[in-house]
């Protein structure tokens, strides 16, 4: 058994965790919307076609902000196609993913769904094939009370009160060569700044996220972020960051390496913060642009097009990755990394939410939880409060692409109002348990509430429709002891843990 010590202090605060860190993403792609959240006639659907079984799982997961309608699709999306009488809505070729889009679900259905699922909308505007004017109209439709063409059109469509969408994305992944209407940093920075200016003129209460680079591996990464942050500096609140990791190889050494990706994620976050702060420096301003990590997850299959026989069909099975325990461990460590950057990372959207690279899967007969559902749920349930600085003293290892990977990853969240302390720990060690000690004399009037764990003998274990409870959360209070202000815990090999203390 290895030994580890976690050091933390209730006065050493990183920042309050923004609740929108527990966000997700719903794109018109594959079976995410159709069959995922909306399926008229399905036995779990309400009279408007909303799948209530999915909505219940979204609530259980504790999802906050949901980004919509894309993703790559937003760059050719006509929002007007998805509002008004359904029989008049056009069927379109959705070119980004080569689906057939009948627009039977659109902006207003999404707003209805956010109420049922207890989430808040994060809308994206099309800066690929469209631009400033379209964004103005959509904002007017969503947020203006009435007496103008688009606000009255919303009323005519049955929505008397404005939707009051507070959070908006200025396009999607615009430096990705795959993006419809892909631009260079100067072109995008200019159109994003123009769009942002007028959107804030129309509704100064909104917050805006501009597109940072679509990924660390793109040649534009870094330079793009600095240019866009600088061009849009006056108008934006956030710069986006996107990250997907995969483990397409299957040896245990690949797993050890895969589990080290949180280190790369951490370094990417530092780089994007640096780009934002560079913009503050050259604008000689105390303003800080924060990060919206509005797409992050594990992805197995390449982001390719649909198989040829599924092209131009509605809701084909598309990147429906099945996640195992090691994926849940990486998702967990990525989450801990974001919590440890709570001062600058304010929004996080696990990509995506249902069926497409998702924690929730559906068939006509069921909805079930993938492994990655659990770390998300635990972070949302126990990760609200103030993130505390924490230092883990433990053994480290090297892998193919990383050096000095600590076996244990951690995050500590103190919720003063609820008198609750949550210690999150992932053990990346595939062979040995760890004995963890934490000096918590500052909390000695607290008691152990629960030690939650996600683990399985087989790190490749998955949940399926036939076996949905193969990898599930367990309460194992016997793994922790809290006496005289000292916490000692067994952190099992390859496990996700949440140790909750309460007064
Ligand atoms: O989440 C799937 C896709 O990944 C999104 O549409 C796009 O933004 C990213 O490349």
């Amino acid at each position: 058994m290895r030994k580890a010590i976690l050091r933390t202090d209730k006065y050493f605060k990183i920042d309050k965790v923004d609740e929108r860190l527990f966000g997700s993403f719903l794109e018109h792609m594959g079976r995410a919307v159709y069959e995922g959240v909306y399926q008229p006639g399905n036995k779990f659907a309400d009279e408007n076609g909303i799948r209530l079984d999915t909505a219940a799982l979204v609530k259980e997961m504790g999802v906050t902000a949901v980004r919509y309608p894309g993703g790559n699709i937003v760059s050719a999306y006509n929002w007007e196609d998805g509002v008004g009488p359904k029989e008049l809505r056009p069927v379109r070729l959705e070119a980004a993913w080569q689906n057939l889009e009948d627009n039977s679900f659109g902006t207003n259905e999404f707003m209805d769904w956010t109420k049922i699922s207890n989430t808040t909308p994060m809308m994206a505007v099309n800066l690929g094939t469209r631009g400033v004017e379209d964004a103005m109209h959509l904002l007017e439709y969503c947020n203006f009370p009435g007496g103008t063409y688009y606000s009255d059109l919303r009323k005519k469509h049955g929505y008397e009160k404005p939707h009051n969408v507070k959070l908006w994305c200025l396009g999607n992944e615009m430096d990705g060569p795959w993006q419809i209407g892909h631009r260079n940093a100067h072109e995008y920075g200019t159109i994003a700044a123009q769009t942002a200016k007028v959107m804030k003129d129309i509704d100064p209460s909104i917050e805006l996220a501009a597109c940072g680079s679509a990924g660390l591996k793109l040649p534009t990464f870094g330079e793009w972020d600095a240019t866009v942050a600088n061009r849009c500096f006056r108008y934006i609140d956030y710069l986006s960051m996107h990250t997907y990791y995969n483990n397409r190889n299957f040896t245990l050494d690949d797993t050890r390496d895969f589990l080290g990706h949180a280190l790369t994620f951490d370094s990417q976050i530092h780089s994007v913060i640096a780009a934002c702060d560079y913009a503050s420096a050259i604008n000689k301003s105390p303003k800080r642009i924060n990060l919206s990590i509005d797409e992050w997850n594990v992805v197995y299959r390449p982001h390719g097009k649909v198989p040829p026989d599924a092209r131009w069909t509605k809701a084909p099975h598309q990147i429906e990755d099945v996640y195992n325990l090691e994926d849940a461990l990486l998702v967990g460590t990525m989450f801990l990394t974001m919590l440890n950057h709570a001062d600058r990372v304010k929004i996080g959207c696990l990509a995506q939410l249902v069926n497409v690279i998702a924690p929730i899967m559906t068939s006509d007969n069921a909805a079930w939880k993938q492994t990655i559902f659990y770390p998300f749920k635990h972070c949302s349930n126990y990760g609200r409060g103030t993130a505390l600085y924490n230092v883990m003293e433990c053994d480290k290892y090297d892998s193919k692409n990383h050096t000095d990977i600590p076996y244990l990853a951690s995050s500590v969240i103190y919720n003063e109002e609820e008198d609750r302390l949550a210690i999150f720990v992932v053990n990346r060690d595939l062979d040995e348990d760890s004995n963890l000690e934490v000096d918590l004399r500052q909390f000695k009037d607290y008691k152990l509430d629960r030690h939650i764990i996600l683990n399985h003998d087989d790190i490749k274990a998955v949940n399926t429709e036939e076996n949905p409870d193969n990898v599930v959360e367990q309460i194992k209070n016997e793994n922790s002891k809290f006496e005289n202000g000292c916490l000692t815990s067994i952190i099992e090999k390859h496990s996700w843990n949440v140790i909750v203390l309460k007064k």
Side-chain angles (χ1 to χ4, degrees):
M1 168 121 41
R2 293 184 192 275
K3 281 192 178 349
I5 299 178
L6 175 66
R7 304 203 188 268
T8 191
D9 187 306
K10 76 174 181 188
Y11 298 109
F12 288 7
K13 299 174 178 173
I14 301 172
D15 207 346
K16 193 167 183 328
V17 176
D18 192 313
E19 294 193 348
R20 296 168 303 173
L21 206 57
F22 312 111
S24 189
F25 172 37
L26 181 67
E27 178 165 18
H28 277 257
M29 171 183 181
R31 298 191 311 121
V33 170
Y34 305 111
E35 298 182 19
V37 304
Y38 177 75
Q39 193 173 17
N42 179 272
K43 61 182 170 189
F44 301 110
D46 69 7
E47 65 284 6
N48 298 314
I50 300 291
R51 289 260 319 227
L52 297 179
D53 54 343
T54 311
L57 289 182
V58 173
K59 277 200 234 170
E60 181 188 335
M61 208 174 134
V63 179
T64 53
V66 178
R67 186 166 170 254
Y68 174 86
N72 291 341
I73 77 107
V74 82
S75 295
Y77 184 68
N78 290 344
W79 67 270
E80 300 91 330
D81 293 345
V83 295
K86 291 202 180 185
E87 62 283 7
L88 300 180
R89 298 187 193 178
V91 176
R92 299 267 189 203
L93 295 181
E94 192 297 288
W97 299 107
Q98 298 166 22
N99 295 180
L100 216 54
E101 174 58 62
D102 72 4
N103 287 297
S104 52
F105 187 97
T107 301
N108 293 319
E109 288 80 17
F110 174 65
M111 298 301 164
D112 292 341
W113 177 82
T114 59
K115 293 193 180 82
I116 295 171
S117 60
N118 205 15
T119 56
T120 55
M122 177 180 186
M123 292 288 283
V125 299
N126 173 355
L127 293 188
T129 58
R130 303 182 89 186
V132 184
E133 192 180 27
D134 167 52
M136 290 166 64
H137 294 168
L138 178 58
L139 179 62
E140 181 187 325
Y141 184 91
C142 288
N143 284 14
F144 204 72
T148 63
Y149 179 78
Y150 284 105
S151 57
D152 286 346
L153 187 63
R154 180 196 69 239
K155 290 182 184 211
K156 202 168 136 200
H157 293 160
Y159 294 82
E160 184 59 32
K161 289 206 177 115
H163 297 310
N164 274 328
V165 178
K166 291 294 167 215
L167 193 53
W168 294 80
C169 304
L170 299 161
N172 178 66
E173 294 191 343
M174 297 303 294
D175 68 332
W178 58 86
Q179 200 65 217
I180 297 172
H182 158 237
R183 294 165 199 270
N184 68 39
H186 296 279
E187 290 163 350
Y188 170 71
T190 303
I191 191 178
Q194 290 166 348
T195 309
K197 180 194 178 301
V198 70
M199 287 179 78
K200 285 219 167 158
D201 284 345
I202 291 173
D203 184 350
S205 75
I206 60 172
E207 289 195 313
L208 295 171
C211 293
S213 175
L216 191 57
K217 291 200 175 135
L218 286 179
T220 35
F221 180 81
E223 185 73 48
W224 169 282
D225 301 82
T227 306
V228 170
N230 183 31
R231 290 224 160 189
C232 300
F233 189 76
R234 284 179 59 187
Y235 310 111
I236 61 168
D237 304 281
Y238 308 100
L239 193 69
S240 76
M241 174 179 136
H242 289 184
T243 307
Y244 292 100
Y245 294 113
N246 63 63
N247 185 12
R248 294 204 185 104
N249 304 310
F250 294 100
T251 69
L252 289 184
D253 274 346
D254 294 318
T255 299
R256 290 185 184 95
D257 189 50
F258 172 69
L259 293 177
H261 280 315
L263 274 62
T264 323
F265 187 52
D266 186 64
S267 126
Q268 187 182 353
I269 292 173
H270 279 285
S271 300
V272 180
I273 292 173
C276 292
D277 290 353
Y278 162 82
S280 299
I282 55 180
N283 283 279
K284 300 174 182 61
S285 166
K287 172 178 171 175
R288 289 288 176 269
I289 296 173
N290 286 320
L291 269 55
S292 170
I293 305 186
D294 44 41
E295 285 188 37
W296 68 274
N297 202 351
V298 172
V299 170
Y300 275 78
R301 297 182 210 176
H303 270 191
K305 307 291 179 201
V306 267
D309 57 343
R311 284 182 84 209
W312 311 128
T313 60
K314 185 181 168 187
H317 289 259
Q318 209 165 12
I319 49 172
E320 297 195 3
D321 284 351
V322 178
Y323 294 112
N324 58 27
L325 175 63
E326 68 189 31
D327 300 324
L329 298 183
L330 183 62
V331 162
T333 47
M334 289 175 80
F335 227 130
L336 303 191
T337 308
M338 294 196 293
L339 289 169
N340 287 336
H341 281 285
D343 53 338
R344 299 303 297 273
V345 180
K346 299 294 178 185
I347 300 162
C349 300
L350 180 73
Q352 298 189 10
L353 185 56
V354 186
N355 288 333
V356 173
I357 43 174
I360 299 170
M361 298 299 292
T362 68
S363 70
D364 288 349
N365 302 313
W368 65 98
K369 303 167 192 174
Q370 295 231 57
T371 57
I372 62 172
F373 180 96
Y374 293 103
F376 189 110
K377 169 184 162 179
H378 300 149
C379 285
S380 182
N381 285 352
Y382 299 106
R384 299 180 193 221
T386 298
L388 301 181
Y389 285 100
N390 61 102
V391 178
M392 182 65 83
E393 291 173 16
C394 65
D395 292 341
K396 296 180 176 176
Y397 69 100
D398 294 338
S399 71
K400 216 167 24 188
N401 295 300
H402 311 283
T403 46
D404 280 343
I405 307 169
Y407 278 110
L408 301 189
S410 58
S411 178
V412 180
I413 307 296
Y414 176 34
N415 190 316
E416 229 168 327
E417 293 80 53
E418 295 184 19
D419 278 319
R420 187 182 70 211
L421 185 74
I423 298 177
F424 296 86
V425 187
V426 172
N427 192 350
R428 301 174 169 112
D429 195 333
L430 304 185
D431 307 305
E432 278 188 60
D433 297 349
S434 260
N435 194 328
L436 176 70
E437 274 186 27
V438 198
D439 178 345
L440 293 173
R441 279 174 292 175
Q442 290 171 324
F443 298 91
K444 67 173 179 299
D445 48 347
Y446 280 40
K447 291 195 169 46
L448 178 71
D449 178 62
R450 64 193 65 194
H451 182 150
I452 309 170
I453 169 166
L454 187 74
N455 202 355
H456 195 285
D457 291 342
D458 177 8
I459 51 163
K460 302 291 181 185
V462 298
N463 294 337
T464 58
E465 183 173 7
E466 296 71 35
N467 190 5
D469 297 326
N470 188 28
V471 186
V472 286
E473 60 188 344
Q474 286 172 280
I475 308 276
K476 273 200 175 177
N477 286 352
E478 64 275 22
N479 282 13
S480 275
K481 199 169 69 183
F482 189 54
E483 274 174 7
N484 304 322
C486 180
L487 174 73
T488 45
S489 299
I490 305 292
I491 307 296
E492 295 176 7
K493 60 185 177 185
H494 52 68
S495 66
W496 160 261
N497 303 263
V498 191
I499 304 153
V500 183
L501 304 177
K502 279 189 184 166
K503 212 170 190 169

